[in-house]
Amino acid sequence: MESTRQKKISRLLQKDLAIIFQQDAPAILGNILFTITGVRVSSDLSVAKVNLSIFPTTDSKKLIKQVKEKSTFFRNLLAKKARHQLRIIPELVFYLDDSADYADEINRLLKE
């Protein structure tokens, strides 16, 4: 069960990371649309698990690998944005959220 503090931190991180991926990621990763579908923060607020949805979905495994390699860069940008709200910026762990692809596949199978 998440505490109220964890939920607030999760929403703050999701909002700030969405802005970062909208403004700063295209310069590094190319013209790819990233959506932050969810953020879960550990109970000690030291680790944030970030779910990313990537469009277009071709080479999404390669893109999520690049994002993981640049996680310290994104953490530094996040620290600049959230420095007045958070004392310690959590470590970012990125995961690929492929629920939209799964839903498309189910819809395609149902139409057949």
Side-chain angles (χ1 to χ4, degrees):
M1 187 73 187
E2 278 189 325
S3 69
T4 305
R5 176 92 172 130
Q6 285 175 295
K7 290 177 186 175
K8 286 181 182 180
I9 298 294
S10 294
R11 285 192 303 264
L12 173 75
L13 294 177
Q14 184 173 2
K15 184 185 80 156
D16 287 345
L17 282 171
I19 293 168
I20 288 170
F21 273 95
Q22 182 182 23
Q23 294 174 352
D24 300 323
I28 299 168
L29 301 170
N31 201 9
I32 306 293
L33 178 66
F34 291 95
T35 304
I36 311 293
T37 57
V39 176
R40 304 222 57 183
V41 181
S42 65
S43 59
D44 62 353
L45 305 177
S46 65
V47 177
K49 296 178 180 179
V50 181
N51 293 322
L52 278 176
S53 179
I54 300 172
F55 185 79
T57 57
T58 57
D59 296 332
S60 59
K61 303 273 189 223
K62 186 178 98 174
L63 286 171
I64 197 71
K65 184 179 176 189
Q66 289 177 343
V67 169
K68 286 179 181 180
E69 290 171 357
K70 300 284 186 183
S71 65
T72 55
F73 172 75
F74 292 119
R75 186 178 180 198
N76 287 334
L77 290 176
L78 182 64
K80 291 176 186 174
K81 281 204 171 297
R83 68 179 178 258
H84 298 296
Q85 289 93 3
L86 296 174
R87 190 168 51 106
I88 298 173
I89 304 300
E91 177 186 345
L92 301 175
V93 180
F94 293 99
Y95 294 100
L96 180 62
D97 184 12
D98 56 354
S99 59
D101 294 337
Y102 181 72
D104 288 341
E105 181 68 20
I106 296 296
N107 284 335
R108 187 186 63 78
L109 290 174
L110 288 174
K111 286 181 182 178
E112 287 181 355

